[in-house]
Each structure stands twice: as C-alpha cells, then as structure tokens.
Amino acid sequence: SQTIHQWPATLVQPVGSPLSLECTVEGTSNPNLYWYRQAAGRGLQLLFYSVGIGQISSEVPQNLSASRPQDRQFILSSKKLLLSDSGFYLCAWSDRGGGYTFGSGTRLTVV
Amino acid sequence: AQTVTQSQPEMSVQEAETVTLSCTYDTSESDYYLFWYKQPPSRQMILVIRQEAYKQQNATENRFSVNFQKAAKSFSLKISDSQLGDAAMYFCAYRRSFNYGGATNKLIFGTGTLLAVQP
C-alpha cells in the first residue's frame, strides 16, 4: 500500500534561518507531488507541484522553493525564513484515479 | 479558473442528529472529481468521500453521503447519526479529470466549515 511520510512534525525557527521540509512516498512510482500551506483558520493554498524528477511548478510567488531530487522525494526549502512563512505545511501525492493522500503535516512557527 | 465555495464557516449539530454541509463550485469542465476532506484537531487531512462527475449516483460511505447536483454545481455532504468524533473542519475540494491532459490536476479547496458536535 502507498504511504506518505512528512517530517518534522513541528518546527520553530528564527527569522532569517534556512528551512528544509521533506516528504517521501512509498508504494507508488512517478506520483504527482504537492506542497500546500494552511494559514491559521484558513483553507489550503497550493504552493508547488511536481510531475516528475526535477520538474517543479510554483503556484504563488513567495519566499519558498521546492525540489524533487528523486522520484518519491519532495523537499520544501527556504534560504531565509520570514515571519509570514509560519503555518501548517502539508505534502500530498495523487494518482490517476483522482485520489489525493496527504502527509501528517509540519507546523512551522517562525519567531 | 475553477473555484470552490463553502458558505458556512461554522455549523453545529447534536449528537445522533443529521447535518448537511454545503459546497458549490464553478467550472467549465464536464469531467472532474469532487471530494470532502475532514481535518480534525490533529490537522491530518482525511478523505471522507469522493464523487466522479460522470457518475449520476450519489456517493455514500457509511454515515456520510453526498447530494451531487451537477447542473447546479452543488456538492453537499450529509452526516447522519453524528458522533462526537465527527467534530472537525470539513473541506470541499475539486479536481479536474486526467482526461483533460496536462499534469497538474491540483486539488482546489474551499475555505472549510468547522463542525461542532454537541453531546
């Protein structure tokens, strides 16, 4: 069966520090991968999606970047965090059957 | 562009009663998927139910069912025999079909409805 792992679960980082959130998928190949952000009390906003290794598309301009170094690995990064980067980050993958599976999320607090 | 609207920011239901959460969407496409996701306090996104637009029959999963009105672009979720564990944020979401090609097929979310279940 397919599983998705996302870590860390919680992160507190100072302003200006770098960020690296990792997501890996097991049990499937060539998945579509996504990074979403959820601000407190709000819906989910798509940040990045990837349809293959090295292929990244950005939905909104921002301080973050994403990379896909391996087929089942998706990384969200920042060189210098801003206070506005605080939020709940969710990784997800999708299959051709329409289903979306989400990771357990990372709660990022920038202080 | 496709949009999803949930007009009820908060809802409340008594335990064992039935509640309906509303969702409308806008799209020019004829083939797509619709979903309801549940997000409990743990913030894990849990798929509750999904509907393929080409299917006329409304999807059902145990106590959860939908009323899919394609012409009206409406997709409501009915929760029967509500339980305390149903308390969560519920998101309606849209996704275009792979038949349209392209590779994004991103999930477009509504703003959510916070459901409280009263004992």
Side-chain angles (χ1 to χ4, degrees), chain A residues 32 34 36 38-39 42-44 46 49 51 59 88 90 94-100 102-104 107, chain B residues 33 35 37 39 41-45 47 50 52 89 91 95 98 103-111:
Chain A
N32 285 357
Y34 309 83
Y36 281 86
Q38 184 179 29
R42 302 184 66 179
L44 283 78
L46 179 63
Y49 64 89
V51 301
E59 283 291 297
F88 188 67
L90 282 160
S94 68
D95 59 26
R96 297 189 67 84
Y100 251 65
F102 286 87
S104 54
R107 189 184 308 273
Chain B
Y33 300 94
F35 305 85
Y37 279 90
Q39 189 179 42
S42 67
R43 304 194 78 171
Q44 174 77 48
M45 292 292 283
L47 177 65
R50 79 179 187 190
E52 290 92 337
M89 180 73 85
F91 290 98
R95 176 187 180 178
F98 272 100
T104 62
N105 297 290
K106 60 187 179 184
L107 210 53
I108 300 170
F109 286 89
T111 51

Side-chain angles (χ1 to χ4, degrees), chain B residues 53-64:
Chain B
Y54 67 88
K55 291 185 177 179
Q56 294 184 343
Q57 185 175 6
N58 289 325
T60 299
E61 287 287 341
N62 299 315
R63 298 182 295 107
F64 299 87

Side-chain angles (χ1 to χ4, degrees), chain B residues 79-117:
Chain B
I79 305 174
S80 304
D81 186 24
S82 297
Q83 301 175 0
L84 295 178
D86 295 333
M89 180 73 85
Y90 286 82
F91 290 98
C92 178
Y94 169 101
R95 176 187 180 178
R96 71 192 314 204
S97 167
F98 272 100
N99 294 334
Y100 285 92
T104 62
N105 297 290
K106 60 187 179 184
L107 210 53
I108 300 170
F109 286 89
T111 51
T113 297
L114 183 61
L115 177 66
V117 181

Side-chain angles (χ1 to χ4, degrees), chain A residues 41-86:
Chain A
R42 302 184 66 179
L44 283 78
Q45 179 188 39
L46 179 63
L47 301 176
F48 300 96
Y49 64 89
S50 172
V51 301
I53 296 174
Q55 301 178 63
I56 308 295
S57 295
S58 174
E59 283 291 297
V60 294
Q62 59 201 300
N63 184 46
L64 302 169
S65 62
S67 62
R68 186 169 176 175
Q70 301 180 42
D71 180 47
R72 287 170 284 180
Q73 185 185 29
F74 203 25
I75 298 173
L76 183 69
S77 304
S78 173
K79 292 182 179 178
K80 290 184 179 182
L81 283 169
L82 305 172
L83 288 174
S84 58
D85 292 324
S86 293

